[in-house]
Amino acid sequence: MARPIFFLVLSLLLIPSTTPFQSNEQGYISVLLSDKGIDFAKDMLIKKAVSSMIPLHLPDIDKSVKIPLLGKVHVVLSNITINSVRIASSSVETGEMGIVLFASGATADLTMNWRYSYKNWIVVISDKGDASVQVKDMQIGVSVTLKEQDGTLSTSLLDCGCYVKDISIKLDGGASWLYQVVVDAFEAPIGSAVENAISKKIKEGILKLDSRLQSLPKQVSVDHTSAMNVTFVDDPVLRNSSVEIDIDGLFMSKDNILISGYYRKGLHPSDSSNCAAKMVGISLCENVFNTAAVVYFNAGYMHWIVDRFPNQSLLNTATWRFIYPQLYQKYPNDQMKLNISLTSPPLIRVAETNLDATIYLDVTVDVVDADEVVPVACVSLVINASCSPQILMNKLAGILKLKSFTVSYKWSNIGDLHMHLLRPVAFAILETIFLPYVNFRLLKGLPLPFLHGFTLKNAAIHYTNSRMMICSNLVLTQQYYIN
């Protein structure tokens, strides 16, 4: 039962609530499951709960029964096993007190062995055989509460129980008098054994779940450079048939260097109104993207040396003789390199229909003269670009498109530059080198948290309050179990 209960809680944690999240703290990533998503999780988890429970072995039942005209008959029921369970209907409710899962109209099929012995001062009689039992109209309920504790989640059992209304017993072999004895004397003990066994499994599952939640990592690796802070922020919000959790969600370097507190400001509450028709909503604050940019900038990933170009003649001083006459005069027909470096991390903002990025870039022109690399000039560019995010499986990818840019003179060792002539060259560099390189990286995608074993389906992206909201249905893609 530990496995399905773990799925129940973690799947119900995939949710922003229909009521704005109120807390002293908020996460930069919010995860939400709508009513539709809760029903999906409930049906899936009940199926997993049943499959992981079966077969369920019950303790032997040993009882002496007084039979008129005979006296005491000793009867033992052994190898009592629940082999199948079918759920007729189920429901799940969330509220301020916790999560409640209720199954009703359930039936269970059992098998068992029986044996009896009777003796008096004259005769000894014994027999044995098999029996099948059907438990009818069974009701099962469990309620749990979830709390944040030192950046992790803790769960505790509020109540659980199983109630058996009716039992049908069929004996294979035995006298007719024995059949009625078993029905009359053992109906209640069998029902109690089923109720106790299922309740015990639920309690064991909650204890294992709490231990598992406490051991969840507080950061997850994205690649060899960065990690994401996945500590939980405040208690989950359980209301209006929904559950919401917030996690920190900001990027950090692999050596645990935290990002400046500047990126931990200006947080707005998430808005899940666009996700009502979908199962899951994942809300990402723009600061998630900004901290990722800072980490990769600090790691040196935003610096390129360009010595190959689609039009290779552009990297020869002869092509520059009209744009930069002094360059050609001093270094005639020499090869060139372009040293492209961002001067600061890109600034990313959530706009109305996409992500906007402002990029500050320096391009230094190097001449290769007799195997010596000589910096000769530098220009600065301010690039305004838009990024159109897209979902690739369970990753958030994107394509960067140029909106506008400005180019300005920064320094030169050999005379002034003709800036009006340099602009077309700068445009060619951006379109043929810079943007393709960046898009190659962006299309690798950012993995989305909490989706192990699931695939997003029919995902849509919305933008509001400095947040990007991914609304999607879910498909179970693998049998994912937690021991």
Side-chain angles (χ1 to χ4, degrees):
M1 196 67 177
R3 293 170 177 172
I5 293 297
F6 183 80
F7 265 105
L8 169 64
V9 177
L10 288 191
S11 294
L12 291 178
L13 287 180
L14 289 171
I15 322 177
S17 163
T18 55
T19 301
F21 180 68
Q22 302 294 326
S23 169
N24 294 327
E25 292 185 81
Q26 288 182 309
Y28 294 87
I29 295 181
S30 298
V31 189
L32 157 100
L33 210 65
S34 67
D35 289 344
K36 183 179 178 181
I38 292 176
D39 285 339
F40 168 81
K42 176 205 56 161
D43 294 341
M44 178 197 70
L45 295 170
I46 288 178
K47 182 178 179 180
K48 286 183 175 290
V50 170
S51 64
S52 64
M53 183 189 304
I54 302 305
L56 179 59
H57 301 286
L58 280 60
D60 293 351
I61 300 175
D62 188 325
K63 191 173 183 179
S64 293
V65 182
K66 188 174 183 180
I67 306 298
L69 304 178
L70 289 178
K72 286 187 178 181
V73 177
H74 185 66
V75 183
V76 177
L77 305 182
S78 60
N79 295 325
I80 308 170
T81 304
I82 300 177
N83 297 302
S84 67
V85 175
R86 295 176 297 280
I87 305 295
S89 63
S90 60
S91 63
V92 61
E93 296 180 2
T94 58
E96 294 182 2
M97 295 303 296
I99 300 173
V100 179
L101 178 63
F102 183 74
S104 61
T107 59
D109 294 321
L110 292 78
T111 56
M112 63 183 182
N113 302 127
W114 60 265
R115 69 178 186 273
Y116 80 90
S117 62
Y118 165 76
K119 64 180 179 179
N120 59 25
W121 62 281
I122 298 177
V123 65
V124 176
I125 303 173
S126 65
D127 200 358
K128 62 182 178 179
D130 303 323
S132 60
V133 179
Q134 186 175 72
V135 177
K136 302 176 181 179
D137 200 13
M138 184 166 57
Q139 298 179 354
I140 304 168
V142 57
S143 61
V144 297
T145 183
L146 290 167
K147 300 291 182 181
E148 181 272 335
Q149 181 177 323
D150 298 326
T152 63
L153 283 182
S154 175
T155 185
S156 59
L157 181 67
L158 295 176
D159 195 12
C160 73
C162 176
Y163 171 70
V164 174
K165 184 177 181 180
D166 188 26
I167 290 180
S168 172
I169 303 175
K170 181 181 179 181
L171 268 65
D172 180 15
S176 60
W177 64 265
L178 176 63
Y179 172 80
Q180 195 60 46
V181 166
V182 172
V183 171
D184 293 341
F186 288 87
E187 200 172 55
I190 292 173
S192 296
V194 171
E195 293 169 350
N196 293 335
I198 292 178
S199 297
K200 181 181 178 182
K201 282 293 184 180
I202 292 174
K203 293 175 182 178
E204 292 174 353
I206 295 300
L207 291 175
K208 290 181 180 180
L209 168 64
D210 185 63
S211 176
R212 176 60 178 167
L213 289 176
Q214 294 294 317
S215 66
L216 289 176
K218 294 187 177 181
Q219 67 179 53
V220 294
S221 176
V222 176
D223 54 28
H224 63 281
T225 299
S226 67
M228 179 181 286
N229 184 340
V230 292
T231 54
F232 293 90
V233 178
D234 216 309
D235 295 338
V237 176
L238 311 175
R239 64 166 70 103
N240 296 335
S241 298
S242 65
V243 179
E244 178 183 5
I245 61 166
D246 279 14
I247 64 172
D248 181 87
L250 297 185
F251 277 71
M252 57 197 306
S253 64
K254 273 300 187 63
D255 53 8
N256 292 325
I257 296 177
L258 297 176
I259 305 303
S260 168
Y262 169 80
Y263 293 103
R264 298 181 175 270
K265 301 176 182 178
L267 186 63
H268 299 284
S270 60
D271 179 5
S272 62
S273 58
N274 289 313
C275 292
K278 301 288 186 178
M279 292 181 183
V280 66
I282 304 173
S283 172
L284 296 91
C285 175
E286 62 187 21
N287 287 356
V288 173
F289 307 108
N290 282 309
T291 53
V294 171
V295 168
Y296 290 103
F297 175 83
N298 292 339
Y301 280 90
M302 299 184 182
H303 173 85
W304 307 273
I305 300 294
V306 179
D307 56 5
R308 294 286 185 272
F309 205 74
N311 182 3
Q312 189 63 24
S313 64
L314 187 63
L315 295 180
N316 188 286
T317 57
T319 304
W320 290 63
R321 61 185 180 274
F322 299 113
I323 303 172
Y324 200 177
Q326 296 93 330
L327 173 65
Y328 179 71
Q329 292 171 7
K330 188 168 183 178
Y331 303 101
N333 293 316
D334 277 345
Q335 295 300 310
M336 301 164 53
K337 294 182 179 181
L338 302 179
N339 188 331
I340 302 175
S341 298
L342 270 67
T343 58
S344 63
L347 179 61
I348 302 170
R349 296 174 299 277
V350 174
E352 292 185 0
T353 58
N354 53 28
L355 303 180
D356 283 346
T358 302
I359 303 168
Y360 299 90
L361 194 68
D362 277 359
V363 180
T364 301
V365 179
D366 295 332
V367 173
V368 182
D369 183 42
D371 295 328
E372 180 184 0
V373 178
V374 182
V376 294
C378 181
V379 295
S380 294
L381 289 87
V382 179
I383 303 167
N384 294 312
S386 64
C387 182
S388 300
Q390 53 187 273
I391 303 298
L392 299 179
M393 297 298 289
N394 285 347
K395 292 185 176 182
L396 179 64
I399 297 177
L400 196 67
K401 296 181 180 180
L402 180 65
K403 294 172 62 177
S404 64
F405 72 96
T406 61
V407 57
S408 60
Y409 172 86
K410 190 167 185 179
W411 58 263
S412 173
N413 290 334
I414 49 174
D416 294 335
L417 300 173
H418 295 288
M419 298 305 300
H420 66 285
L421 297 176
L422 190 62
R423 183 177 175 83
V425 178
F427 177 78
I429 293 172
L430 293 176
E431 287 288 333
T432 59
I433 295 179
F434 178 74
L435 290 178
Y437 179 85
V438 172
N439 285 331
F440 174 76
R441 298 291 180 181
L442 291 178
L443 286 174
K444 290 186 175 181
L446 167 69
L448 297 170
F450 303 116
L451 290 176
H452 299 295
F454 299 91
T455 297
L456 297 178
K457 181 180 180 181
N458 300 326
I461 299 177
H462 306 275
Y463 309 88
T464 182
N465 292 335
S466 301
R467 285 180 175 267
M468 184 180 72
M469 175 71 75
I470 302 170
C471 305
S472 180
N473 290 326
L474 293 173
V475 175
L476 183 65
T477 54
Q478 62 180 351
Q479 298 298 317
Y480 186 69
Y481 292 104
I482 303 297
N483 294 317

